[in-house]
Amino acid sequence: MTAPASQPESPPPKPGTLASHSAFIAFVDRLGSHPVRLLDYIGGVARLLWQTGAWLFRSLILRQVRFGRFALYSQMVRVGVRSISVIGLVSFCIGLILALQMAPPLEEFGQIDQVATIIAIAVVRELGPLISAIVLTGFAGASIAAELGTMVVGEEIEALEAHALNPVRFLVVPRVLATTISLVFLCVMAEIIAIGGGWWLGVNLLDIPHGVYKSNTLDILEPVDFFTGLFKAGVFGAIIGAIACYNGLHVTGGASGVGRATTNTVVHCIEAIIYTDLLFTGVFYVIGWT
């Protein structure tokens, strides 16, 4: 039996033909779909934040709209209190790393005591809120997304809506508020521990006098430094809570969808935190707060 003759390959579409136009349209569609999805995602998170703020405002001025304080307290314990040990350890190590990295170049110029100045500025303005937010993202953001995603898969969200209970009011508001408040306090703790770590190493290993280290730290810091750091921490906390809740409430695809939402939450939160930090740093630089 003779083998069937191979079919001749179809020639590539010539420029100007219908096939080439379809390929170009498909390419443009794929190219333009990414920014459209990004804008849709940002708009969805912003809308969720707006609804959260609206429900929180209603609970403060309307007696019939009760605010679940117990849910807030339980979320603050789960999100904030259980993160203290991790953030404290990371912050202490950051203080040690900064002191060890800055000591050799400063010692060449006879300015070893300026280690305290660098650590104080870096930690209070940037590293305190930034490191706390990134650690909280992995510790609590992924947990919130997985929890809400599991509720979506188990049709618990639909059950709430069937009973005329708004998921944003009962699920999102306590979590977003808990991440915001907790991160502010965690940021203060992280700054104190990081500066304390730098002080311990500077006094005991670098032979910087305690009085000199203390005076350099207090002299360089101003109230605006604490304000900018805590403001960033509050915004970062709201971003973490909103992104985690949004990804969790929009889970599709069963258990695998919960895993994707958890992973996306960590990635999206870190990206959003970095971009927001860059934006705030630029704004503070322009208005002279740096």
Side-chain angles (χ1 to χ4, degrees):
M1 180 180 296
T2 60
S6 60
Q7 298 293 333
E9 296 183 359
S10 58
K14 297 180 179 180
T17 62
L18 180 61
S20 64
H21 284 303
S22 300
F24 177 74
I25 291 174
F27 170 74
V28 173
D29 179 69
R30 289 194 300 269
L31 186 64
S33 63
H34 294 290
V36 171
R37 288 198 298 267
L38 176 61
L39 292 176
D40 179 69
Y41 183 84
I42 295 175
V45 174
R47 183 170 180 268
L48 184 63
L49 267 177
W50 175 264
Q51 293 176 341
T52 302
W55 277 110
L56 182 60
F57 180 74
R58 293 175 189 173
S59 66
L60 295 177
I61 64 174
L62 299 177
R63 293 184 177 180
Q64 59 270 27
V65 181
R66 294 181 299 173
F67 181 74
R69 290 181 174 84
F70 178 77
L72 173 62
Y73 299 152
S74 62
Q75 290 299 322
M76 289 183 65
V77 170
R78 187 170 71 95
V79 171
V81 176
R82 296 182 180 177
S83 304
I84 290 178
S85 58
V86 179
I87 294 179
L89 178 61
V90 172
S91 301
F92 185 76
C93 293
I94 290 296
L96 299 180
I97 292 170
L98 287 176
L100 290 174
Q101 290 287 352
M102 291 295 103
L106 291 174
E107 192 173 10
E108 293 181 3
F109 298 96
Q111 299 292 326
I112 188 67
D113 58 308
Q114 294 302 315
V115 167
T117 300
I118 296 175
I119 292 178
I121 290 295
V123 168
V124 173
R125 290 184 180 178
E126 288 294 334
L127 293 180
L130 189 62
I131 296 300
S132 301
I134 291 176
V135 173
L136 191 68
T137 295
F139 191 87
S143 175
I144 292 174
E147 180 184 19
L148 295 182
T150 304
M151 296 177 68
V152 171
V153 173
E155 299 181 354
E156 297 179 40
I157 304 297
E158 295 181 0
L160 285 176
E161 294 174 343
H163 288 81
L165 300 177
N166 192 293
V168 176
R169 173 186 173 187
F170 292 97
L171 298 178
V172 177
V173 173
R175 287 165 174 80
V176 173
L177 197 58
T179 54
T180 303
I181 297 174
S182 298
L183 191 55
V184 172
F185 287 100
L186 290 172
C187 176
V188 175
M189 182 201 71
E191 293 172 356
I192 295 174
I193 294 178
I195 293 176
W199 166 84
W200 180 85
L201 192 140
V203 172
N204 293 281
L205 185 63
L206 304 178
D207 295 327
I208 302 175
H210 167 71
V212 174
Y213 197 103
K214 178 182 177 181
S215 62
N216 287 350
T217 301
L218 297 178
D219 291 343
I220 196 61
L221 293 177
E222 298 180 0
V224 68
D225 298 323
F226 293 98
F227 170 76
T228 55
L230 296 181
F231 178 77
K232 287 181 182 180
V235 175
F236 294 163
I239 290 174
I240 293 171
I243 291 179
C245 291
Y246 181 84
N247 288 343
L249 292 175
H250 289 79
V251 165
T252 57
S256 61
V258 176
R260 286 194 303 270
T262 304
T263 304
N264 291 337
T265 296
V266 176
V267 175
H268 294 165
C269 285
I270 293 177
E271 291 178 345
I273 288 168
I274 296 298
Y275 297 148
T276 305
D277 187 32
L278 175 61
L279 175 63
F280 284 151
T281 302
V283 171
F284 294 154
Y285 176 81
V286 171
I287 64 179
W289 284 5
T290 57

